[in-house]
Amino acid sequence: MTTPTLTAADTDSVRTLTLNRPQVGNALDADLIGALTEAVETADADEQVRAIILTGAGDSFCTGLDLVALRAPDWDPTLWNTALHRILDTTTPIIAAVNGPANTAGLGLVLACDFALAAEKATFVDLHAKVGLISASGMSTLLADRIGLPRAKEMWLTARSVDAATAYRWGLVNDVLPPEDLATAAAERARAIARASAAWVRTVVATHDQGKQAVLQPQFAMEAAAAAAWAAEHRGPRNAASPSTAKPTRRTDGLR
């Protein structure tokens, strides 16, 4: 029997989506990205789902895009960007329960959620500097908006890994908890959201998210254009989405 790359479970009007590739740190390949996009769309359309929790199986939240998948001839570079922005557009609140490393695209998932809680062992890093690529998804814009441009520049330019305590001080996450308490804390927040009027919650989320994205849209466009131009000049048109000449030390290195 094939193990699903994403699992979904409902409790008290809360749907928990779990990235389920623990053997590769829940790295995002085409199947997982597609499953996540579909699951978020399905949950957002379900009136019985009042809040969503996103977490990872095993010891990692998400270690980024799967570099093996990125090098495949049939890799679609729009998959990840579409998934990230679908999460951003969701009016059902999404809580990231960050149980371990959140690397680059994993960090992007955290930023796309409405807010995040972190286990004490969680870490956050943007590894684009390690492979010489520029984000095309908008996650760099989201990071600067969340923690401020100087701190975002430090993370971008140095590939600094930020621990959970620092992430809390910088406003990247709302709370830090012992690993054994993370799931319970996320469920408590989600149930509190579920007790409010669903229409009111969706209106509040849509109002503020749409306003924020209208402000950020020009920067999203600049980020995507810069990424495409850089990749075309330095790696060739195909590698605008697939860093085949990069030499990461791990199978998954958290791109995009």
Side-chain angles (χ1 to χ4, degrees), residues 13-67:
S13 299
V14 175
R15 181 160 298 171
T16 298
L17 302 178
T18 303
L19 307 175
N20 193 36
R21 300 185 74 214
Q23 71 279 11
V24 290
N26 299 315
L28 300 167
D29 63 359
D31 288 344
L32 180 50
I33 294 171
L36 177 59
T37 304
E38 181 179 357
V40 167
E41 291 175 344
T42 299
D44 198 33
D46 189 339
E47 294 183 355
Q48 300 304 311
V49 177
R50 309 286 286 276
I52 302 166
I53 297 170
L54 179 62
T55 193
D59 295 328
S60 297
F61 177 72
C62 175
T63 55
L65 294 184
D66 188 320
L67 295 185

Side-chain angles (χ1 to χ4, degrees), residues 97-112:
V98 188
N99 55 304
N103 299 350
T104 317
L107 174 59
L109 286 178
V110 174
L111 294 166

